[in-house]
Amino acid sequence: DGGITQSPKYLFRKEGQNVTLSCEQNLNHDAMYWYRQDPGQGLRLIYYSQIVNDFQKGDIAEGYSVSREKKESFPLTVTSAQKNPTAFYLCASSIANSNQPQHFGDGTRLSIL
Amino acid sequence: QKEVEQNSGPLSVPEGAIASLNCTYSDRGSQSFFWYRQYSGKSPELIMFIYSNGDKEDGRFTAQLNKASQYVSLLIRDSQPSDSATYLCAVKRADSWGKLQFGAGTQVVVTP
């Protein structure tokens, strides 16, 4: 079945540590996105990518980094510069340059130890 | 003013009744509108999308779009306890190749 796989489901970060969240899709979508969701709030865009080897900052990119070396993969690194990383992280993908909807993975819940 | 606004709720609906959710947006150039359902602790799942003024029906769900008044609504007929969730409204602006702006969501509670 086609879909978006995020791993791990739960992740704990120590102070000063960088952690990387994985996102893989087999929907053949060009566009991929990372969102952050805090309790009781909507989704805020961290980074997005329209095509391999290209990505743009979203609304809250500070303290995060991404790469897009393969069409299927869009990993997100939460760096030590992100002082409040505890949140639910969602990866999505869609057909680029279209009105088609975004589809989401199951998410990664990140907490500080 | 937020770009996409929703009443946070909770919206309490008796089982079998109609749930009516509203979403307003600020950008007149917005062209695509999406409703996602999110159960507690889970990721959002797409329910419906609508592009043109008027109504669009899919099973028990109806999306209504009024671009002149800048609102989109979602009706859930014959509400079931399994409809209890947070419903997110998302809007794609005309100048955005794919980026969506999300509202904070409306929590719906269907009571037996």
Side-chain angles (χ1 to χ4, degrees):
Chain A
D1 285 338
I4 302 170
T5 301
Q6 289 188 243
S7 63
K9 190 170 183 178
Y10 298 96
L11 187 59
F12 298 92
R13 195 192 87 170
K14 296 179 181 179
E15 292 287 341
Q17 184 183 43
N18 293 351
V19 293
T20 297
L21 285 60
S22 171
C23 178
E24 304 275 333
Q25 55 98 1
N26 60 4
L27 299 169
N28 200 33
H29 287 165
D30 285 308
M32 297 187 74
Y33 315 78
W34 273 106
Y35 292 92
R36 168 179 172 142
Q37 188 176 33
D38 292 283
Q41 298 191 29
L43 280 62
R44 292 186 290 167
L45 184 65
I46 305 173
Y47 267 98
Y48 61 101
S49 169
Q50 300 180 60
I51 197 168
V52 174
N53 293 322
D54 185 54
F55 48 82
Q56 288 80 40
K57 293 182 179 180
D59 300 319
I60 55 164
E62 186 175 349
Y64 301 96
S65 66
V66 293
S67 62
R68 187 84 187 276
E69 297 176 2
K70 298 187 301 182
K71 185 176 182 177
E72 302 79 17
S73 179
F74 191 40
L76 173 74
T77 296
V78 183
T79 75
S80 57
Q82 174 48 249
K83 297 307 179 187
N84 184 23
T86 298
F88 189 39
Y89 290 87
L90 290 157
C91 178
S93 71
S94 73
I95 299 172
N97 291 322
S98 76
N99 287 328
Q100 294 301 304
Q102 295 179 16
H103 297 276
F104 288 85
D106 289 339
T108 292
R109 199 165 296 277
L110 175 62
S111 303
I112 291 184
L113 278 177
Chain B
Q1 181 189 8
K2 293 181 180 178
E3 290 194 46
V4 180
E5 297 211 48
Q6 296 181 254
N7 189 323
S8 62
L11 177 65
S12 185
V13 181
E15 186 174 356
I18 297 175
S20 178
L21 291 73
N22 292 318
C23 171
T24 60
Y25 58 94
S26 60
D27 184 359
R28 280 200 171 274
S30 298
Q31 59 179 191
S32 308
F33 307 85
F34 307 88
W35 284 100
Y36 289 85
R37 177 176 62 199
Q38 186 175 26
Y39 291 114
S40 180
K42 302 296 185 182
S43 65
E45 56 179 321
L46 181 71
I47 297 177
M48 293 195 68
F49 55 90
I50 186 167
Y51 306 141
S52 304
N53 277 328
D55 295 359
K56 180 181 179 183
E57 187 175 317
D58 184 359
R60 295 186 296 111
F61 299 98
T62 298
Q64 299 174 317
L65 176 60
N66 184 324
K67 289 187 177 180
S69 299
Q70 294 178 243
Y71 81 80
V72 55
S73 61
L74 179 70
L75 301 178
I76 307 173
R77 291 183 300 280
D78 188 24
S79 295
Q80 301 298 309
S82 59
D83 295 325
S84 297
T86 295
Y87 291 79
L88 302 172
C89 171
V91 175
K92 177 183 173 296
R93 297 182 346 191
D95 62 350
S96 163
W97 56 270
K99 179 180 174 181
L100 297 180
Q101 204 69 34
F102 283 84
T106 297
Q107 183 186 5
V108 173
V109 178
V110 180
T111 55

